[in-house]
Amino acid sequence: MSAATDYYDKTTQLLGQLRATQLPAIGRAAEICANSIAHGGLVFLFGAGHSRMMCEEMAPRQGCFVGFFSWAEQAVSQHCATIGMNGLRGPLFLEKIEGYADQLLSGFKFGPHDAFIVISTSGIRPLIVEMALGAKARGLPVIGVVSVAHCSQSKASHSSGKKLIDVADVVLDNHCPPGDCVVEIPGLAWRTGPTSTVTGAMLINMLRCETAERLLARGHPPVMLPSHQFVETTTAHAAEEQLEAYYEGYRRSVAHLYQ
């Protein structure tokens, strides 16, 4: 067996475990999201570091719809240079500072129907825990996307002793093992093959689809962001019109944040 097939087999196995165990939690999370969006609220998604990718997987993305707000705080997620400017040391340091999350949250005016999704495979860093605590203190229901195995086995980093799994109202388990990576190669001291991107994106898209279905059942069809990569003229024109409708719907949905 090659390392590539080993990664494929182990990751698809995790996806199978996700399907077998997470549907009830996805249903509860989708009900929170649908209730928020149907009443004109926003569902925020926050993730530091690599978890930012799960926020952007939700919105803006073809097949997404108005109501989800992807919060990509660049100070803790723009580190592609690794060293120097926009390097990795700064974001990792900021994630450990207590009080930083509250300053970020204070930049918004949350509404009575807003909700919050906090994404972190480890679920222990102070920034993540305080984002969840701060959202709850403001009356928002909190959904956590986390590796339950990793979070449960890790020591709490926040002074409260809490972790994301202790704070979230609903926990979606991405089923990643502690350390995320699943492939062991003889002669290599550390594992490779991280899985949280695959399982996290699956959870996000399952939640999106379930939320859309529940909004329709409520008589509140979501305002979709269409794929605009069409060649056929009629379809392309319809997609452009829908894109404008999405822009306008999104503008209205975020208006209360800045009042």
Side-chain angles (χ1 to χ4, degrees), residues 30-84:
E31 189 63 22
I32 290 173
C33 295
N35 186 62
S36 177
I37 295 170
H39 288 88
L42 290 170
V43 180
F44 290 81
L45 295 98
F46 181 88
H50 191 76
S51 294
R52 166 185 172 170
M53 293 180 66
M54 298 306 102
C55 303
E56 294 178 343
E57 180 66 20
M58 180 65 90
R61 183 81 162 86
Q62 275 82 1
C64 78
F65 45 89
V66 170
F68 288 106
F69 185 102
S70 295
W71 186 344
E73 191 69 31
Q74 292 192 13
V76 291
S77 60
Q78 182 74 336
H79 48 68
C80 293
T82 305
I83 60 174

Side-chain angles (χ1 to χ4, degrees), residues 46-47 51 116-133 135-136 142-148 151-152 154-158 160-172 174:
F46 181 88
S51 294
F116 219 98
I117 301 175
V118 181
I119 305 163
S120 169
T121 293
S122 68
I124 61 170
R125 291 187 179 271
L127 172 62
I128 290 300
V129 174
E130 287 191 352
M131 271 291 179
L133 288 170
K136 291 198 73 170
V142 174
I143 300 163
V145 180
V146 63
S147 165
V148 171
C151 194
S152 298
S154 299
K155 182 181 179 180
S157 297
H158 191 259
S160 67
K162 294 184 180 296
K163 309 174 188 179
L164 181 55
I165 56 174
D166 302 320
V167 181
D169 298 294
V170 178
V171 172
L172 300 183
N174 68 17

